[in-house]
Amino acid sequence: MSQTVDATDPQSREHAIDTAVDAVKAGRLVVMPTDTLYGIGCDAFDNEAVNALLRAKGRGPDMPVPVLVGSWTTIEGLVREYTYNMRRLVEAFWPGGLSMVVNQAPSLPWNLGDTRGTVMLRMPMHPVAIELLQRTGPMAVSSANISGQAPATNVQMAKDQLGSDVNTYIDGGEATVGVASTIVDLASGRPRILREGAISAEKISQVLGISSAELRGQV
């Protein structure tokens, strides 16, 4: 049985977040608002829950699940090396619509799919998401939709696709950005953009000091 909790009303927001925290800690799936799109998530270190997330989306381990964090400092325990470029991008764009593919710390006991030693990390700019993440720790979160269908920008769109596979839906209103995050690969040498979305290549190039053409792999 799924439940929907309202985080748009200050009177019910704390209850909504408490309910979602309990669901995550119990190994359940939750749908949560972020700044870019709604996400379906679970405890990143609960491998059974991650498998349930992949099943709910209808996709396999060949498309690993990203991880959302609730603070800048959390990233340092998740990566093999906290590099200069990582730090610059975190300071410039987190919280916000930038995801980074980085080499993960080798000792982490999670199984997010066929990551080949990497993990995609982001800190979303949404107060409900941040509070949830600060209380649960890192969450495996993918867009709240069936693979191949339109990503959800509100809770009803997510419910229409994911139904009873999700334990708790958090209604946080309409996603303010409404497009996916930009993905930058920092794990394979020179930085490059894998997907351009909420943050432009031009803004990222200014921070990293390389051209947007280089970032796009055009030179």
Side-chain angles (χ1 to χ4, degrees), residues 116-188:
R116 301 182 183 183
T118 66
V119 62
M120 187 161 76
L121 299 173
R122 184 167 89 90
M123 180 181 177
M125 187 185 287
H126 194 289
V128 172
I130 288 176
E131 186 171 345
L132 177 63
L133 290 160
Q134 286 176 343
R135 292 178 57 183
T136 63
M139 288 180 61
V141 180
S142 186
S143 57
N145 60 289
I146 301 294
S147 189
Q149 296 189 26
T153 57
N154 58 59
V155 75
Q156 189 60 52
M157 289 178 67
K159 288 173 69 176
D160 289 345
Q161 293 191 52
L162 298 168
S164 60
D165 286 337
V166 172
N167 176 269
T168 302
Y169 290 86
I170 309 175
D171 186 354
E174 195 75 20
T176 53
V177 177
V179 296
S181 64
T182 294
I183 302 173
V184 176
D185 180 9
L186 298 178
S188 53

Side-chain angles (χ1 to χ4, degrees), residues 22-147:
D22 289 345
V24 171
K25 290 183 175 179
R28 310 297 185 195
L29 301 182
V30 303
V31 160
M32 59 193 285
T34 80
D35 47 341
T36 54
L37 300 165
Y38 269 70
I40 176 175
C42 64
D43 180 349
F45 297 98
D46 186 330
N47 293 336
E48 289 187 15
V50 172
N51 287 335
L53 188 158
L54 290 170
R55 287 195 302 272
K57 283 184 61 76
R59 73 191 221 188
D62 57 311
M63 299 178 69
V65 186
V67 171
L68 297 190
V69 298
S71 72
W72 283 10
T73 54
T74 305
I75 185 177
E76 297 181 35
L78 303 178
V79 300
R80 189 173 71 194
E81 178 187 5
Y82 192 34
T83 66
Y84 177 73
N85 282 339
M86 281 183 217
R87 187 184 305 276
R88 295 197 69 179
L89 291 177
V90 164
E91 292 175 352
F93 299 114
W94 281 16
L98 180 74
S99 298
M100 299 186 299
V101 177
V102 299
N103 291 305
Q104 69 177 41
S107 60
L108 293 174
W110 61 25
N111 183 8
L112 303 168
D114 299 334
T115 63
R116 301 182 183 183
T118 66
V119 62
M120 187 161 76
L121 299 173
R122 184 167 89 90
M123 180 181 177
M125 187 185 287
H126 194 289
V128 172
I130 288 176
E131 186 171 345
L132 177 63
L133 290 160
Q134 286 176 343
R135 292 178 57 183
T136 63
M139 288 180 61
V141 180
S142 186
S143 57
N145 60 289
I146 301 294
S147 189

